[in-house]
Amino acid sequence: MRLIIKEGYIVDPVNNLIGEADILIEEGIIKKINKKIEENVDNIISAKDRIVMPALIDLHVHLREPGREDKETILTGTEAASKGGITTILVMPNTDPAIDSPEAVRLLKERIKRTARIDVLIASTITLRREGKVLVDFEALKKEGVVAITDDGSSVDDENLLLKAMQEAKEKDLLLLLHCEDKSLSSKGMVNLGVISTRLGLRGIPKEAEYRRVERDIKLSKKINAPIHITHVSCKESVDLIAKAKKEGIRVTCDTAPHYFSLTEEELLNFDTNKKVNPPLRKKEDLLAIKEALKEGIIDCIASDHAPHTEHEKEVEFENAEFGTIGLETELAVAITYLVEPGLIDWCKLVELFCINPSKILKIDKGTLAIGKPAELIILDPSKEWVVKKDDFLSLSKNSAFLGMRLKGKVEYTIYKGKIIYPF
Ligand code: DOR
Ligand code: ZN
């Protein structure tokens, strides 16, 4: 199969390719990128007035397989990802059962091999059953192909245990992805603690629950010079701590999710359970700090924290609703609408946040449009406006915090290993 993508506006900062050009793809590989390519091919896609950029890499995704295939499966989740322009995801291990043993990883790998439409990388837990008591067998899991470890959904309370995990992760070269939350502070909170939680009459989660853990985990990382990645950063204080740590040369990277730079706690005044997420939506000042940190490179990348839940788990009283929003099909457009459109960042920075930096953090050779590499790219209409509608989601769950919003930027094609996988 030979394919030419004609006259697209290419954004590939790694290779300093920015501007209009044609791309020739042959046998799944990028063969040529030139101003004009005239060759006999099987398929030509016109990309006039379109952006052509590397496909996205999302390092925080919950597919619910095994155990909760009614919420999302590897098939539906990876189809949703392909629609969102994503060709690589890291899946979280808080499934049922949790991914905490080589056997569980083997089973998951089999299912991925059978049904995944894109590359699915596997994270295992840090502790058995995510109970925070006994560490998993890092060596065996690494051998089985696990690339990251995380107790996402919870934080490891025991400092000594986490220190050991950091040491092991460092030795085995596994990405340690940390959910920072002191549950003794967040207890049974549901929304950010403050005026809004009082007005709603709901128990609040203080920011301290997050940033005190960020502070502790940075301290531990510093102690043994071990790299850590802090996930879903949501407040100003966390950003400040991470900025300071980076300045000191501490090996910390982090991500945030689109809802933390587009929505605030005020959105909860109508008790919309789709906006009940953990960590909770914060105040305007936090949102502004997150945006600034994305621009300044303090926050390294954007990840969706795609967290599918069924209608009967979301369409209930706020107190009883599950935490989480889906995000695979909206993350790029939310970032374009809230970061690129207002002029905060340019397209190159967007590619850095979604492609280049996640590749570096995961240590995978992706995120660029290099000649001789597998073609994993997207063609995007940057000016297309669309409204987020329940019926349009490919994801099995429809619990989007962005429902009803008008967004800008739509993926027209996703190409994975040289083949068009979206639309399908
Ligand atoms: O909102 C969230 N949902 N935050 C988490 O940490 C876990 C996730 C889930 O698994 O649903
Ligand atoms: Zn998560």
Side-chain angles (χ1 to χ4, degrees):
M1 237 278 287
R2 279 154 62 88
L3 162 72
I4 290 182
I5 300 167
K6 275 216 134 345
E7 299 180 314
Y9 189 91
I10 301 190
V11 185
D12 177 14
V14 170
N15 295 301
N16 206 17
L17 285 170
I18 296 136
E20 206 181 291
D22 296 349
I23 302 182
L24 171 67
I25 298 167
E26 204 179 293
E27 306 301 332
I29 303 288
I30 298 180
K31 274 277 140 92
K32 256 192 226 172
I33 303 180
N34 275 340
K35 271 269 161 268
K36 247 193 183 18
I37 303 175
E38 305 285 353
E39 288 195 31
N40 252 343
V41 291
D42 309 288
N43 193 2
I44 294 177
I45 300 176
S46 164
K48 187 94 194 115
D49 301 321
R50 305 291 187 263
I51 299 265
V52 179
M53 59 179 258
L56 278 59
I57 295 151
D58 187 338
L59 55 68
H60 192 140
V61 175
H62 299 268
L63 303 185
R64 303 297 191 188
E65 203 171 339
R68 286 304 304 267
E69 289 83 352
D70 55 327
K71 293 184 196 239
E72 193 83 282
T73 64
I74 292 161
L75 175 64
T76 59
T78 56
E79 282 181 349
S82 76
K83 187 174 179 188
I86 302 151
T87 58
T88 309
I89 57 175
L90 177 69
V91 286
M92 296 296 106
N94 64 337
T95 47
D96 185 14
I99 307 303
D100 62 1
S101 68
E103 294 71 35
V105 174
R106 269 199 291 279
L107 182 82
L108 185 59
K109 277 199 298 194
E110 260 166 46
R111 293 193 186 203
I112 289 168
K113 197 166 168 208
R114 242 185 307 125
T115 60
R117 295 292 194 255
I118 59 167
D119 284 354
V120 178
L121 306 175
I122 301 174
S124 81
T125 63
I126 301 171
T127 64
L128 292 179
R129 293 177 294 280
R130 288 196 313 122
E131 284 170 351
K133 298 210 167 71
V134 182
L135 293 183
V136 295
D137 183 343
F138 290 69
E139 174 124 37
L141 289 161
K142 169 97 187 179
K143 256 191 207 140
E144 215 47 74
V146 159
V147 301
I149 55 166
T150 178
D151 271 2
D152 181 55
S154 343
S155 183
V156 178
D157 290 330
D158 183 333
E159 260 190 44
N160 285 324
L161 197 70
L162 185 61
L163 205 55
K164 267 192 205 141
M166 276 185 196
Q167 186 63 38
E168 283 240 32
K170 181 182 168 183
E171 282 164 15
K172 308 279 176 334
D173 196 20
L174 286 160
L175 174 71
L176 181 61
L177 190 130
L178 298 169
H179 169 119
C180 288
E181 177 184 0
D182 183 338
K183 285 217 163 111
S184 72
L185 294 175
S186 57
S187 66
K188 295 208 165 57
M190 271 162 277
V191 295
N192 187 44
L193 177 71
V195 180
I196 300 288
S197 65
T198 309
R199 272 175 73 185
L200 291 169
L202 294 169
R203 197 192 277 253
I205 303 174
K207 287 186 195 181
E208 285 81 354
E210 175 176 315
Y211 74 77
R212 292 247 178 264
R213 264 303 142 94
V214 168
E215 192 174 30
R216 184 200 75 171
D217 293 356
I218 287 173
K219 181 190 82 186
L220 296 178
S221 150
K222 182 180 177 183
K223 195 168 175 176
I224 58 167
N225 187 29
I228 56 170
H229 179 86
I230 296 171
T231 196
H232 51 53
V233 170
S234 76
C235 67
K236 181 176 185 305
E237 289 81 352
S238 299
V239 165
D240 292 344
L241 285 161
I242 292 163
K244 186 166 160 277
K246 285 190 166 188
K247 247 197 195 137
E248 279 181 45
I250 298 168
R251 298 162 76 187
V252 56
T253 54
C254 68
D255 69 74
T256 191
H259 34 285
Y260 302 118
F261 60 77
S262 58
L263 305 171
T264 63
E265 55 175 1
E266 314 247 327
E267 302 273 342
L268 289 158
L269 286 167
N270 63 357
F271 293 93
D272 180 356
T273 57
N274 285 333
K275 295 183 179 119
K276 180 180 177 184
V277 288
N278 185 29
L281 299 181
R282 308 281 190 189
K283 290 188 191 310
K284 185 80 182 280
E285 65 197 58
D286 296 299
L287 178 142
L288 293 175
I290 297 282
K291 279 185 159 184
E292 197 55 28
L294 283 163
K295 180 185 169 184
E296 296 301 327
I298 291 155
I299 296 179
D300 300 273
C301 62
I302 300 171
S304 63
D305 197 1
H306 179 80
H309 293 292
T310 60
E311 259 177 34
H312 69 265
E313 290 163 320
K314 276 293 197 181
E315 291 184 6
V316 292
E317 311 72 41
F318 200 90
E319 288 87 334
N320 297 325
E322 294 277 358
F323 286 98
T325 173
I326 55 170
L328 291 169
E329 292 166 75
T330 46
E331 61 183 309
L332 181 56
V334 173
I336 291 169
T337 309
Y338 286 86
L339 304 176
V340 180
E341 271 296 303
L344 185 78
I345 65 167
D346 62 13
W347 289 97
C348 286
K349 183 70 194 177
L350 188 82
V351 169
E352 208 180 302
L353 290 167
F354 273 122
C355 316
I356 303 167
N357 291 348
S359 290
K360 285 187 188 155
I361 291 166
L362 288 163
K363 298 186 178 159
I364 52 176
D365 188 16
K366 293 198 182 203
T368 81
L369 302 176
I371 313 285
K373 294 259 178 72
E376 291 193 22
L377 54 91
I378 61 172
I379 302 171
L380 161 87
D381 182 348
S383 53
K384 173 86 180 171
E385 291 194 23
W386 56 289
V387 175
V388 182
K389 292 198 190 103
K390 224 179 215 179
D391 290 346
D392 293 339
F393 280 115
L394 293 179
S395 187
L396 203 49
S397 292
K398 315 294 174 191
N399 58 303
S400 169
F402 306 102
L403 281 177
M405 271 170 59
R406 178 173 278 274
L407 299 177
K408 207 164 180 185
K410 203 151 195 16
V411 174
E412 289 186 336
Y413 294 94
T414 301
I415 294 175
Y416 168 69
K417 296 186 176 165
K419 289 203 183 76
I420 298 168
I421 56 162
Y422 177 81
F424 48 84

